[in-house]
Amino acid sequence: MQSTALTYRQLSRMFNAIVMLGNRSMANVGADLKVARFIRALQPEAVALAKKREELRAPPAQEDKPALPAPAPEEIARLERALLDERFEVALPLAFRLTEADLPKEKTGADGWKNADGLGAIVADLELLFDLSDEPPAA
């Protein structure tokens, strides 16, 4: 596993995208296992982020003190933006990046298109979890 620096904003996008793929029929079992590895790697930080966001909205009470009042909505938004820009290190199994061959395919039947719907947006949100090595280098 490779230690990688991310922002909580990146984590949020990547985790939501990988969970979306986890709820679809992937191309093969190997692709399902790649998705599972990434969910397992990102989930602890995603849960921690959700807890931090909740604490911004309703600060926890302390034993000997009453609960603090919730901050104003503008303050919550400012604090949440700052939180999402925080960087942290996470170990990711980048040797198992997803590729085009791993992606869900359209299935047969009236709703079969839903399995492959929105893949462009999902792949964009996966960021470094998806191997886009065939892209031309940035200028």
Side-chain angles (χ1 to χ4, degrees):
M1 290 230 228
Q2 181 178 339
S3 183
T4 305
L6 297 176
T7 64
Y8 281 112
R9 188 178 314 278
Q10 288 175 296
L11 166 77
S12 184
R13 281 195 306 262
M14 291 165 61
F15 187 70
N16 289 335
I18 202 72
V19 167
M20 285 176 150
L21 286 180
N23 289 316
R24 296 183 184 205
S25 296
M26 298 297 286
N28 54 57
V29 174
D32 283 324
L33 294 175
K34 289 179 182 182
V35 168
R37 283 182 180 98
F38 286 125
I39 289 173
R40 189 172 58 199
L42 293 172
Q43 191 167 25
E45 285 296 336
V47 168
L49 174 60
K51 186 180 280 189
K52 288 177 183 183
R53 286 176 125 169
E54 185 58 36
E55 288 174 359
L56 290 178
R57 291 178 183 85
Q62 297 176 0
E63 278 185 36
D64 56 345
K65 297 178 184 174
L68 298 171
E74 303 82 28
E75 181 66 5
I76 291 173
R78 185 189 68 72
L79 292 169
E80 191 165 64
R81 281 191 306 273
L83 172 64
L84 291 174
D85 289 335
E86 283 182 26
R87 297 185 74 74
F88 67 96
E89 292 282 325
V90 63
L92 293 174
L94 294 179
F96 296 100
R97 286 184 177 156
L98 293 163
T99 65
E100 186 176 347
D102 296 321
L103 293 176
K105 309 293 186 246
E106 190 169 308
K107 296 169 69 176
T108 58
D111 288 337
W113 61 273
K114 291 180 181 179
N115 196 53
D117 187 43
L119 286 180
I122 292 171
V123 167
D125 285 348
L126 288 172
E127 294 186 23
L128 57 106
L129 306 182
F130 191 85
D131 182 5
L132 286 172
S133 58
D134 62 339
E135 277 191 342

